[in-house]
Amino acid sequence: MRVDKRQPAEQRPFTIRPDFQSYPAGSVLIEIGKTRVICAASVRNSVPRWMREQNVSGGWLTAEYQMLPSATPERSGRESTRGKPSGRTQEIQRLIGRSLRSVVDLEKIGARTIQLDCDVIDADGGTRCASITGASVALNMALRKLFKEGAISSWPMSEHVAAVSAGIVDGEMLLDLSYAEDSTADVDMNVVVAESGNLVEIQGAAEGKTFSQQQMQDMLKLTVEGAAELHKQQKQSMEEYYG
């Protein structure tokens, strides 16, 4: 039995609260168990210098991720005081950006940049997965605003993306690992899934013991099914907000 009494294939309770902040074009507070992340999408009417120098048409989408110092039981120092993001932070930022760019036609957003900011206010495992899932909704909201204002004439986002973890803990395969489970897992996998069921990215590694190809397939199936539930919540939160 898991610490929080969940079944092996059961996700933690999750909610998505749209329009959490006043100023971004789109924002949400996503809560998955005790993990809480603010995801915001801001629009800038310019593109990065490298795009201008290389005459690349269309726009750009990028992401930043950070954990607040008080997001964990023991306070962590701000990365800004160290001069640059940690390797883990940079890796997660790139993952969020790749995941969202996979479902957006950047030509259709014009010569502008969409900045996704994912700020973890409480961390209990799965922060990268929560960030991707929440950022997808925040991005959709920002694009709706641009479309409504006439700034873009063709809808650029093909579908939502969501991410969920799975792992093997004490020989048992579990979905959506909390920190207590993730920190003792023999195998840990994070999977990003598009609403269509197609895969965007798979990150998996043995932390203690090796795992078989069959176990990998079983975890993959588990995460795809879990992501489908997140996709339903994404759509439901949007429908409730926009009516």
Side-chain angles (χ1 to χ4, degrees):
M1 179 65 71
R2 305 173 79 168
V3 174
D4 51 13
K5 307 279 194 287
R6 284 184 290 149
Q7 296 299 311
E10 183 181 355
Q11 296 194 81
R12 292 173 289 179
F14 52 85
T15 60
I16 299 174
R17 177 181 164 186
D19 207 20
F20 185 71
Q21 289 182 284
S22 300
Y23 301 113
S27 67
V28 305
L29 170 67
I30 181 168
E31 300 180 71
I32 300 181
K34 295 180 180 179
T35 290
R36 300 195 300 161
V37 185
I38 300 171
C39 303
S42 302
V43 180
R44 186 170 65 252
N45 291 319
S46 63
V47 295
R49 186 175 66 180
W50 65 265
M51 291 186 69
R52 299 193 300 271
E53 291 176 346
Q54 298 177 31
N55 293 318
V56 178
S57 61
W60 186 242
L61 184 154
T62 188
E64 290 188 14
Y65 164 98
Q66 70 170 352
M67 289 178 58
L68 297 187
S70 56
T72 55
E74 184 175 341
R75 184 187 185 278
S76 58
R78 293 185 187 274
E79 293 188 344
S80 59
T81 63
R82 303 174 202 153
K84 66 176 182 179
S86 68
R88 174 183 180 274
T89 294
Q90 293 182 60
E91 185 264 321
I92 293 175
Q93 290 179 164
R94 291 169 184 150
L95 171 64
I96 298 168
R98 287 195 303 272
S99 298
L100 274 299
R101 286 194 296 271
S102 73
V103 293
V104 174
D105 186 337
L106 295 174
E107 286 284 347
K108 292 181 179 179
I109 71 171
R112 52 178 54 89
T113 298
I114 298 178
Q115 174 73 52
L116 299 173
D117 291 299
C118 300
D119 293 282
V120 180
I121 57 177
D122 286 309
D124 186 34
T127 61
R128 73 184 65 197
C129 293
S131 296
I132 291 166
T133 305
S136 183
V137 178
L139 172 62
N140 191 284
M141 294 178 69
L143 292 173
R144 283 180 184 234
K145 183 177 182 181
L146 290 172
F147 191 74
K148 183 178 180 181
E149 293 173 347
I152 56 176
S153 58
S154 183
W155 184 250
M157 189 172 180
S158 59
E159 54 189 327
H160 277 295
V161 293
V164 66
S165 66
I168 300 175
V169 183
D170 294 330
E172 187 171 27
M173 194 169 295
L174 305 176
L175 177 68
D176 187 20
L177 305 183
S178 66
Y179 176 76
E181 294 166 337
D182 181 61
S183 62
T184 60
D186 292 323
V187 179
D188 182 20
M189 177 180 286
N190 298 293
V191 181
V192 186
V193 188
E195 199 173 347
S196 59
N198 287 336
L199 301 174
V200 178
E201 186 152 343
I202 302 170
Q203 297 182 332
E207 302 289 347
K209 299 178 182 178
T210 60
F211 58 104
S212 68
Q213 292 185 40
Q214 184 58 56
Q215 286 174 315
M216 184 186 72
Q217 291 296 330
D218 291 343
M219 282 189 288
L220 190 56
K221 181 175 183 294
L222 196 60
T223 55
V224 170
E225 291 172 352
E229 293 302 312
L230 292 172
H231 289 135
K232 289 179 184 178
Q233 182 64 35
Q234 287 172 322
K235 295 181 71 173
Q236 181 179 331
S237 66
M238 298 286 280
E239 289 169 358
E240 290 175 351
Y241 179 72
Y242 288 105

